[in-house]
Short mmCIF file of all heavy atoms in Angstrom, two decimals:
data_model
loop_
_atom_site.label_atom_id
_atom_site.label_comp_id
_atom_site.label_asym_id
_atom_site.label_seq_id
_atom_site.Cartn_x
_atom_site.Cartn_y
_atom_site.Cartn_z
N VAL A 219 -32.81 -205.45 -36.61
CA VAL A 219 -32.67 -206.00 -37.95
C VAL A 219 -32.03 -204.91 -38.83
O VAL A 219 -32.54 -203.80 -38.91
CB VAL A 219 -34.01 -206.45 -38.55
CG1 VAL A 219 -33.77 -207.19 -39.88
CG2 VAL A 219 -34.77 -207.36 -37.59
N SER A 220 -30.92 -205.25 -39.43
CA SER A 220 -30.18 -204.33 -40.27
C SER A 220 -30.83 -204.32 -41.66
O SER A 220 -30.84 -205.33 -42.35
CB SER A 220 -28.73 -204.82 -40.36
OG SER A 220 -28.00 -204.10 -41.32
N THR A 221 -31.41 -203.18 -42.04
CA THR A 221 -32.18 -203.13 -43.29
C THR A 221 -31.76 -201.93 -44.14
O THR A 221 -32.46 -200.92 -44.20
CB THR A 221 -33.69 -203.03 -42.99
OG1 THR A 221 -33.90 -201.89 -42.14
CG2 THR A 221 -34.24 -204.27 -42.32
N GLU A 222 -30.63 -202.06 -44.81
CA GLU A 222 -30.17 -200.97 -45.68
C GLU A 222 -30.87 -201.09 -47.03
O GLU A 222 -31.24 -202.18 -47.45
CB GLU A 222 -28.65 -201.05 -45.86
CG GLU A 222 -27.86 -201.12 -44.55
CD GLU A 222 -27.88 -199.83 -43.73
OE1 GLU A 222 -28.50 -198.84 -44.15
OE2 GLU A 222 -27.24 -199.83 -42.65
N HIS A 223 -31.02 -199.95 -47.70
CA HIS A 223 -31.67 -199.95 -49.02
C HIS A 223 -30.82 -200.70 -50.04
O HIS A 223 -29.69 -200.29 -50.34
CB HIS A 223 -31.85 -198.51 -49.53
CG HIS A 223 -32.78 -197.68 -48.72
ND1 HIS A 223 -34.15 -197.84 -48.76
CD2 HIS A 223 -32.56 -196.67 -47.85
CE1 HIS A 223 -34.72 -196.95 -47.96
NE2 HIS A 223 -33.78 -196.24 -47.38
N ASN A 224 -31.36 -201.78 -50.58
CA ASN A 224 -30.78 -202.46 -51.75
C ASN A 224 -29.30 -202.82 -51.63
O ASN A 224 -28.58 -202.81 -52.64
CB ASN A 224 -30.99 -201.61 -53.02
CG ASN A 224 -32.45 -201.47 -53.37
OD1 ASN A 224 -33.28 -202.20 -52.84
ND2 ASN A 224 -32.77 -200.54 -54.24
N THR A 225 -28.85 -203.10 -50.42
CA THR A 225 -27.47 -203.61 -50.29
C THR A 225 -27.36 -204.46 -49.03
O THR A 225 -28.07 -204.22 -48.05
CB THR A 225 -26.43 -202.47 -50.26
OG1 THR A 225 -25.12 -203.05 -50.21
CG2 THR A 225 -26.60 -201.53 -49.08
N ASN A 226 -26.50 -205.46 -49.11
CA ASN A 226 -26.24 -206.31 -47.94
C ASN A 226 -24.87 -206.00 -47.35
O ASN A 226 -24.34 -206.78 -46.56
CB ASN A 226 -26.32 -207.79 -48.32
CG ASN A 226 -25.28 -208.19 -49.35
OD1 ASN A 226 -24.99 -207.41 -50.26
ND2 ASN A 226 -24.72 -209.38 -49.23
N SER A 227 -24.29 -204.86 -47.72
CA SER A 227 -22.91 -204.56 -47.31
C SER A 227 -22.74 -204.56 -45.80
O SER A 227 -21.75 -205.09 -45.29
CB SER A 227 -22.45 -203.24 -47.91
OG SER A 227 -23.31 -202.18 -47.51
N ALA A 228 -23.71 -204.00 -45.05
CA ALA A 228 -23.56 -203.95 -43.58
C ALA A 228 -23.61 -205.36 -42.99
O ALA A 228 -22.92 -205.66 -42.01
CB ALA A 228 -24.66 -203.09 -42.96
N ASN A 229 -24.41 -206.25 -43.60
CA ASN A 229 -24.59 -207.59 -43.05
C ASN A 229 -23.28 -208.38 -43.02
O ASN A 229 -23.16 -209.35 -42.27
CB ASN A 229 -25.63 -208.36 -43.89
CG ASN A 229 -26.99 -207.72 -43.82
OD1 ASN A 229 -27.29 -207.00 -42.87
ND2 ASN A 229 -27.82 -207.95 -44.83
N LEU A 230 -22.32 -207.95 -43.81
CA LEU A 230 -21.05 -208.67 -43.90
C LEU A 230 -20.13 -208.39 -42.72
O LEU A 230 -19.11 -209.03 -42.56
CB LEU A 230 -20.33 -208.31 -45.20
CG LEU A 230 -21.12 -208.57 -46.50
CD1 LEU A 230 -20.36 -208.04 -47.70
CD2 LEU A 230 -21.43 -210.05 -46.66
N SER A 231 -20.48 -207.41 -41.87
CA SER A 231 -19.51 -207.00 -40.85
C SER A 231 -20.08 -206.79 -39.45
O SER A 231 -19.35 -206.30 -38.58
CB SER A 231 -18.81 -205.71 -41.32
OG SER A 231 -19.76 -204.69 -41.50
N TRP A 232 -21.33 -207.16 -39.18
CA TRP A 232 -21.88 -206.92 -37.83
C TRP A 232 -21.10 -207.66 -36.74
O TRP A 232 -21.05 -207.22 -35.59
CB TRP A 232 -23.36 -207.31 -37.76
CG TRP A 232 -24.23 -206.29 -38.42
CD1 TRP A 232 -24.96 -206.45 -39.56
CD2 TRP A 232 -24.48 -204.95 -37.97
NE1 TRP A 232 -25.63 -205.28 -39.86
CE2 TRP A 232 -25.35 -204.36 -38.91
CE3 TRP A 232 -24.03 -204.19 -36.89
CZ2 TRP A 232 -25.80 -203.03 -38.79
CZ3 TRP A 232 -24.48 -202.88 -36.77
CH2 TRP A 232 -25.35 -202.32 -37.71
N GLY A 233 -20.49 -208.77 -37.10
CA GLY A 233 -19.71 -209.53 -36.11
C GLY A 233 -18.46 -208.80 -35.65
O GLY A 233 -17.84 -209.20 -34.66
N GLY A 234 -18.11 -207.74 -36.33
CA GLY A 234 -16.92 -206.99 -35.95
C GLY A 234 -17.18 -205.94 -34.88
O GLY A 234 -16.28 -205.23 -34.46
N TYR A 235 -18.42 -205.86 -34.41
CA TYR A 235 -18.78 -204.85 -33.39
C TYR A 235 -19.11 -205.53 -32.07
O TYR A 235 -19.67 -206.62 -32.06
CB TYR A 235 -19.96 -204.01 -33.89
CG TYR A 235 -19.60 -203.26 -35.14
CD1 TYR A 235 -19.82 -203.84 -36.39
CD2 TYR A 235 -18.97 -202.03 -35.07
CE1 TYR A 235 -19.42 -203.18 -37.55
CE2 TYR A 235 -18.57 -201.37 -36.22
CZ TYR A 235 -18.80 -201.95 -37.46
OH TYR A 235 -18.40 -201.31 -38.59
N PRO A 236 -18.77 -204.88 -30.96
CA PRO A 236 -19.05 -205.50 -29.66
C PRO A 236 -20.53 -205.37 -29.31
O PRO A 236 -20.95 -204.46 -28.61
CB PRO A 236 -18.17 -204.69 -28.70
CG PRO A 236 -17.99 -203.36 -29.36
CD PRO A 236 -18.12 -203.57 -30.83
N THR A 237 -21.33 -206.32 -29.79
CA THR A 237 -22.78 -206.24 -29.64
C THR A 237 -23.25 -206.80 -28.29
O THR A 237 -24.44 -206.72 -27.98
CB THR A 237 -23.48 -206.99 -30.78
OG1 THR A 237 -22.84 -208.24 -30.97
CG2 THR A 237 -23.42 -206.21 -32.08
N ARG A 238 -22.33 -207.39 -27.51
CA ARG A 238 -22.66 -207.93 -26.18
C ARG A 238 -23.92 -208.79 -26.23
O ARG A 238 -23.91 -209.83 -26.89
CB ARG A 238 -22.79 -206.79 -25.16
CG ARG A 238 -21.52 -205.95 -25.04
CD ARG A 238 -21.32 -205.44 -23.63
NE ARG A 238 -22.35 -204.51 -23.20
CZ ARG A 238 -22.30 -203.19 -23.40
NH1 ARG A 238 -21.27 -202.65 -24.05
NH2 ARG A 238 -23.26 -202.42 -22.95
N ASN A 239 -25.00 -208.37 -25.53
CA ASN A 239 -26.21 -209.20 -25.49
C ASN A 239 -27.27 -208.75 -26.50
O ASN A 239 -28.45 -208.98 -26.31
CB ASN A 239 -26.79 -209.24 -24.07
CG ASN A 239 -26.90 -207.84 -23.49
OD1 ASN A 239 -26.46 -206.88 -24.11
ND2 ASN A 239 -27.49 -207.72 -22.32
N LEU A 240 -26.83 -208.09 -27.55
CA LEU A 240 -27.75 -207.64 -28.60
C LEU A 240 -27.64 -208.59 -29.79
O LEU A 240 -26.55 -208.87 -30.27
CB LEU A 240 -27.36 -206.22 -29.05
CG LEU A 240 -28.16 -205.64 -30.21
CD1 LEU A 240 -29.57 -205.23 -29.75
CD2 LEU A 240 -27.43 -204.44 -30.81
N LEU A 241 -28.81 -209.09 -30.24
CA LEU A 241 -28.84 -209.94 -31.43
C LEU A 241 -29.02 -209.05 -32.65
O LEU A 241 -29.93 -208.21 -32.68
CB LEU A 241 -30.01 -210.94 -31.33
CG LEU A 241 -30.24 -211.85 -32.53
CD1 LEU A 241 -29.12 -212.89 -32.66
CD2 LEU A 241 -31.60 -212.56 -32.42
N VAL A 242 -28.17 -209.22 -33.65
CA VAL A 242 -28.33 -208.48 -34.89
C VAL A 242 -28.76 -209.47 -35.98
O VAL A 242 -28.08 -210.46 -36.22
CB VAL A 242 -27.03 -207.77 -35.32
CG1 VAL A 242 -27.24 -206.98 -36.61
CG2 VAL A 242 -26.54 -206.83 -34.21
N LEU A 243 -29.91 -209.21 -36.58
CA LEU A 243 -30.39 -210.03 -37.69
C LEU A 243 -30.11 -209.29 -38.99
O LEU A 243 -30.16 -208.07 -39.05
CB LEU A 243 -31.90 -210.28 -37.56
CG LEU A 243 -32.37 -211.02 -36.31
CD1 LEU A 243 -33.89 -211.14 -36.30
CD2 LEU A 243 -31.74 -212.40 -36.23
N ASN A 244 -29.82 -210.07 -40.02
CA ASN A 244 -29.54 -209.47 -41.32
C ASN A 244 -30.83 -209.23 -42.09
O ASN A 244 -31.75 -210.04 -42.03
CB ASN A 244 -28.65 -210.41 -42.14
CG ASN A 244 -27.34 -210.67 -41.45
OD1 ASN A 244 -26.64 -209.72 -41.08
ND2 ASN A 244 -27.04 -211.93 -41.22
N GLY A 245 -30.85 -208.13 -42.80
CA GLY A 245 -32.00 -207.83 -43.64
C GLY A 245 -31.61 -206.93 -44.79
O GLY A 245 -30.42 -206.62 -44.98
N GLU A 246 -32.59 -206.56 -45.55
CA GLU A 246 -32.39 -205.60 -46.65
C GLU A 246 -33.72 -204.89 -46.89
O GLU A 246 -34.76 -205.55 -46.91
CB GLU A 246 -31.95 -206.33 -47.91
CG GLU A 246 -31.78 -205.42 -49.13
CD GLU A 246 -31.54 -206.21 -50.42
OE1 GLU A 246 -30.94 -207.31 -50.36
OE2 GLU A 246 -31.98 -205.73 -51.48
N GLU A 247 -33.69 -203.59 -47.03
CA GLU A 247 -34.91 -202.89 -47.45
C GLU A 247 -34.91 -202.89 -48.97
O GLU A 247 -34.15 -202.15 -49.62
CB GLU A 247 -35.01 -201.46 -46.91
CG GLU A 247 -36.34 -200.84 -47.35
CD GLU A 247 -36.75 -199.56 -46.63
OE1 GLU A 247 -35.90 -198.93 -45.98
OE2 GLU A 247 -37.95 -199.21 -46.72
N VAL A 248 -35.72 -203.76 -49.52
CA VAL A 248 -35.81 -203.90 -50.97
C VAL A 248 -36.61 -202.68 -51.46
O VAL A 248 -37.80 -202.54 -51.17
CB VAL A 248 -36.48 -205.23 -51.36
CG1 VAL A 248 -36.50 -205.40 -52.86
CG2 VAL A 248 -35.76 -206.40 -50.68
N THR A 249 -35.90 -201.79 -52.14
CA THR A 249 -36.43 -200.46 -52.44
C THR A 249 -36.59 -200.34 -53.94
O THR A 249 -35.62 -200.16 -54.67
CB THR A 249 -35.45 -199.40 -51.89
OG1 THR A 249 -35.15 -199.70 -50.52
CG2 THR A 249 -36.01 -198.00 -52.00
#
Side-chain angles (χ1 to χ4, degrees):
V219 187
S220 171
T221 55
E222 307 291 0
H223 295 286
N224 295 346
T225 183
N226 62 323
S227 58
N229 297 337
L230 303 175
S231 60
W232 284 113
Y235 298 90
T237 46
R238 302 213 295 272
N239 49 354
L240 176 74
L241 177 70
V242 181
L243 299 178
N244 300 306
E246 177 188 329
E247 183 166 16
V248 183
T249 309

